[in-house]
């Protein structure tokens, strides 16, 4: 099997000309973040922001030029119009890139420039966690459904580019349409508008992107999706508190962040790292949710505090951050969330759905001010 090498990919891309500049896209220094893994190729094409909307044919041409190479299994090219927002360029970026951006940009990019509001979207909150597996996405979905049950128009943006979970959690499959050929229509279920990398890239495509490509994908999901009028958008951030999360938090105009933690992580200070991360980027922390807080036996109803329950409440008090509530470890939550039937939508009478609605009411109040609830919580008993 002939190896797919960087050289061969770049040679193929040299056949693609920028129609407006009359030279090939490699010589123009437009290719960055080239990644090759087992025949799967990804790269970004850097363009000036104002040219972005017209260059879709160029992006396609670049993909096709690489696709025809022997042993190439998949090609993902993204247009990057906003590379200046990245805090530091990845080491593998061609040095030429700085020379072609919008003329004489600042030497040190201003990360805040990406934080412009999204037209029609009133407020955006992130759901974050210090590490994976603590129930961040489950919380994001049920919180979003809590907002919806409280009468708000809600969108959910799955910013976990590498491990998107919204298609599964919300039971949505298929690809988003683009009725006007410019913006994508978000997918919808349970009254939520949703966008996720999982709708755009087939599940078996390995997520091998990094740096500018991830940022470009995030910006596209944020700004090139027809979100319409939303009262609130919930952003499910990737787990962890590293540079990638920090940059993402900088790239989205966040009104605040909710941190999800299990009792044992609190002890391991993961949640504190989360707090620090948002403080660094000036995003207010709206509060901490303790997930898998205690175990309620489905057979006998007995409650066991298997993880030293209550740690998050104490830690929140200690850190001066609001404790937004606790959600027990319960099979019903796991099964519904893993089956695409989130409990707040499918069993509104469950005590857990009530917890999420109350949490949503409190978060809404915190981001919009007291008395801002449009309608009282709608409790439906079936
Ligand atoms: P993260 O986004 O932090 O990686 P997920 O939301 O994907 O975590 O949750 C990880 C797993 O834990 C999933 O299988 C989910 O259904 C389950 N889970 C999350 N919260 C609870 C809970 N309160 N009770 C039971 N299972 C839960």
């Amino acid at each position: 099997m002939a190896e797919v090498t960087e050289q061969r990919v770049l040679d193929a891309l040299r056949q693609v000309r920028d129609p407006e500049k009359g030279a090939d896209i490699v010589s123009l220094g437009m290719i960055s973040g080239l990644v090759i893994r087992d025949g799967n190729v990804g790269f970004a094409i850097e363009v000036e922001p104002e040219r972005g909307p017209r260059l879709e044919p160029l992006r396609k041409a670049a993909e096709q030029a690489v696709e025809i190479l022997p042993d190439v299994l998949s090609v993902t090219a993204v247009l990057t119009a906003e590379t200046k927002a990245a805090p530091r360029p990845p080491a593998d970026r061609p040095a030429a890139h700085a020379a072609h951006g919008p003329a004489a940009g600042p030497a040190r990019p201003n990360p805040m420039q990406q934080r412009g509001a999204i037209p029609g979207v009133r407020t955006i909150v992130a759901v974050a966690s210090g590490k994976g597996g603590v129930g961040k996405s489950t919380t994001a979905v049920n919180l979003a459904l809590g907002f919806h049950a409280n009468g708000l128009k809600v969108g959910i943006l799955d910013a976990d580019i590498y491990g998107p979970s919204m298609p599964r959690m919300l039971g949505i499959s298929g690809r988003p349409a683009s009725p006007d050929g410019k913006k994508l229509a978000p997918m919808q279920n349970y009254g939520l508008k949703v966008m996720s990398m999982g709708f755009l890239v087939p599940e078996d495509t390995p997520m091998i992107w990094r740096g500018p490509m991830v940022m470009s994908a995030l910006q596209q999901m944020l700004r090139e999706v027809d979100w319409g009028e939303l009262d609130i958008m919930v952003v499910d951030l990737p787990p962890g508190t590293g540079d990638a999360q920090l940059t993402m938090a900088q790239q989205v105009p966040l009104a605040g962040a909710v941190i999800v933690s299990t009792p044992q992580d609190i002890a391991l200070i993961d949640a504190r790292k989360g707090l620090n991360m948002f403080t660094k980027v000036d995003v207010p922390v709206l509060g901490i949710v303790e997930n898998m807080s205690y175990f309620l036996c489905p057979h006998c109803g007995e409650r066991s505090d298997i993880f030293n329950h209550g740690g998050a409440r104490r830690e929140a008090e200690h850190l001066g951050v609001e404790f937004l509530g606790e959600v027990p470890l319960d099979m019903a939550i796991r099964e519904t969330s893993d089956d695409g039937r989130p409990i707040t939508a499918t069993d509104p009478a469950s005590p857990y759905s009530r917890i999420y609605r109350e949490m949503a009411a409190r978060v809404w109040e915190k981001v919009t001010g007291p008395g801002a609830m449009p309608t009282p919580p709608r409790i439906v008993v079936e």
Side-chain angles (χ1 to χ4, degrees):
M1 188 176 178
E3 209 192 336
V4 182
T5 61
E6 194 169 317
Q7 199 51 52
R8 286 174 59 203
V9 171
L10 288 175
D11 285 346
L13 288 172
R14 264 187 251 278
Q15 310 307 312
V16 182
R17 294 173 79 78
D18 181 330
E20 291 165 15
K21 299 197 168 174
D24 76 85
I25 57 178
V26 177
S27 311
L28 287 166
M30 292 165 74
I31 303 300
S32 71
L34 175 60
V35 187
I36 303 166
R37 291 281 146 77
D38 304 327
N40 299 290
V41 182
F43 54 89
I45 307 171
E46 297 183 10
V47 299
E48 296 81 351
E50 64 281 6
R51 297 208 301 145
R54 343 189 258 278
L55 289 184
E56 175 58 18
L58 179 74
R59 191 193 65 78
K60 283 224 176 77
E63 276 190 355
Q64 281 160 6
V66 179
E67 257 159 21
I68 57 169
L69 291 177
D71 300 315
V72 165
L73 301 174
S74 76
V75 185
T76 310
V78 288
L79 291 176
T80 310
E82 280 118 358
T83 53
K84 287 153 142 281
R88 62 177 95 111
D92 58 343
R93 179 178 300 186
H97 99 281
H100 70 85
R108 278 191 67 85
N110 171 10
M112 294 306 182
Q113 71 185 13
Q114 288 311 309
R115 288 180 66 169
I118 314 294
V121 179
R122 184 164 163 195
T123 190
I124 308 183
V125 295
V127 178
S129 63
K131 63 170 200 181
V134 301
K136 173 185 52 61
S137 298
T138 302
T139 308
V141 163
N142 283 290
L143 187 64
L145 289 163
F147 289 124
H148 175 67
N150 290 346
L152 298 174
K153 293 195 206 86
V154 189
I156 182 157
L157 170 61
D158 187 351
D160 197 343
I161 308 284
Y162 296 99
S165 42
M166 287 307 142
R168 175 176 50 90
M169 294 218 162
L170 283 162
I172 304 176
S173 55
R175 289 170 85 85
S178 177
D180 65 358
K182 289 186 195 129
K183 288 198 162 190
L184 289 179
M187 305 296 272
Q188 303 202 30
N189 204 4
Y190 303 117
L192 304 181
K193 290 183 177 169
V194 193
M195 188 46 70
S196 167
M197 217 50 220
F199 301 136
L200 304 174
V201 177
E203 236 175 75
D204 51 3
T205 304
M207 297 285 173
I208 49 170
W209 319 347
R210 60 185 146 161
M213 304 171 72
V214 170
M215 289 312 143
S216 155
L218 181 68
Q219 286 301 325
Q220 288 183 9
M221 289 200 293
L222 199 60
R223 295 172 194 280
E224 290 170 30
V225 167
D226 189 7
W227 289 104
E229 295 287 318
L230 294 182
D231 294 307
I232 189 158
M233 176 189 279
V234 176
V235 178
D236 185 16
L237 281 181
T241 51
D243 269 5
Q245 290 78 4
L246 189 83
T247 311
M248 286 201 171
Q250 284 175 319
Q251 298 248 326
V252 180
L254 293 174
V258 170
I259 296 186
V260 181
S261 187
T262 59
Q264 70 272 40
D265 300 316
I266 293 287
L268 296 171
I269 68 157
D270 279 328
R272 273 186 241 178
K273 286 193 208 146
L275 285 183
N276 289 342
M277 171 172 102
F278 289 109
T279 311
K280 263 193 226 164
V281 289
D282 268 341
V283 171
V285 172
L286 302 168
I288 297 184
V289 175
E290 186 173 273
N291 190 41
M292 310 197 206
S293 185
Y294 52 89
F295 176 66
L296 215 47
C297 174
H299 306 295
C300 66
E302 196 191 337
R303 168 178 167 152
S304 322
D305 289 349
I306 40 179
F307 294 133
N308 182 25
H309 152 252
R313 185 186 289 275
R314 277 192 301 278
E315 191 63 30
E317 268 167 27
H318 178 67
L319 297 165
V321 175
E322 180 163 338
F323 181 68
L324 289 169
E326 57 193 24
V327 179
L329 179 74
D330 191 303
M331 284 286 279
I333 297 179
R334 194 193 64 70
E335 283 171 3
T336 51
S337 108
D338 293 353
D339 273 10
R341 299 178 292 115
I343 198 157
T344 308
T346 56
D347 187 5
S350 136
Y352 306 138
S353 306
R354 194 165 133 213
I355 294 175
Y356 288 118
R357 284 193 300 267
E358 285 172 355
M359 228 180 251
R362 180 64 189 135
V363 169
W364 179 249
E365 193 174 60
K366 287 198 85 163
V367 290
T368 56
M373 282 292 292
T375 47
R378 179 158 46 92
I379 304 202
V380 185
V381 181
E382 287 175 329

